[in-house]
């Protein structure tokens, strides 16, 4: 990537992310606060204290300054794309500053293209990483989740795939998870 590329790509990526945030808005996996079921398990640290949520391309731009009431740091993480970042938090945050991955969880966006690669379908699915900490996959899975939330995740995915950086990150995540599933 050239030095100047981010100057052109970043505004479009940030607009796409803001659109995705807005589409999900205040919606959560259940109509009631699912954090009460599990004590907010997905926000707790593991024993390393360095687990966190992978950020989408350029999303770290929203975290370049300290945020009141939100203790976090960014770590380098090339899992999804070169130069990627992971947000490591301390278990609480203001909703307005939640990274996209947290807003989607315990779902993720699966992409399915037709053989010609002309049409890409966005399919919200249970994030395989949710099985280890979230009770929802076992408690009815998608069927038990709010239809409005699932639809919002789908619409957010449809926004994301209009942006090449997001599309690449989503495909890379898919490849990574598919490889993990094979292990
Ligand atoms: S672990 Fe699952 S049920 Fe618990 S707060 Fe997170 S998304 Fe909700
Ligand atoms: S950023 Fe917020 S929602 Fe995401 S894991 Fe940390 S405390 Fe939970």
């Amino acid at each position: 990537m050239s030095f100047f590329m981010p100057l052109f790509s970043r505004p479009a990526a940030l607009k796409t992310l803001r659109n995705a945030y807005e589409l999900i808005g205040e919606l959560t996996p259940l109509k009631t606060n699912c954090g009460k079921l599990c004590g907010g398990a997905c926000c707790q640290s593991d024993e390393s204290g360095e687990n966190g949520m992978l950020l989408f391309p350029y999303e770290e731009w929203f975290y370049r300054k300290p945020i009141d009431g939100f203790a976090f740091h960014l770590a380098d993480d090339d899992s999804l794309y070169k130069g990627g970042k992971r947000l490591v938090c301390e278990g609480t945050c203001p909703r307005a500053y939640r990274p996209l991955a947290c807003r989607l969880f315990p779902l993720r966006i699966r992409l399915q293209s037709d053989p010609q690669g002309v049409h890409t379908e966005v399919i919200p699915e249970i994030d395989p990483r949710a099985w280890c900490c979230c009770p929802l996959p076992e408690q009815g899975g998608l069927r038990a989740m709010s239809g409005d939330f699932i639809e919002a995740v789908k619409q957010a995915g449809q926004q994301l795939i209009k942006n090449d950086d997001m599309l690449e990150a989503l495909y890379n995540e898919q490849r990574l998870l598919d490889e993990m599933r094979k292990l």
Side-chain angles (χ1 to χ4, degrees), residues 42-43 70 87 89 91-93 98-99 102:
C42 55
C43 297
F70 191 5
L87 183 139
C89 67
T92 54
C93 67
R98 243 162 232 195
C102 300

Side-chain angles (χ1 to χ4, degrees), residues 29 34-35 38 40-42 105-106 133-136:
C34 60
C38 64
C42 55
F105 196 83
C133 67
C134 177
L136 299 182

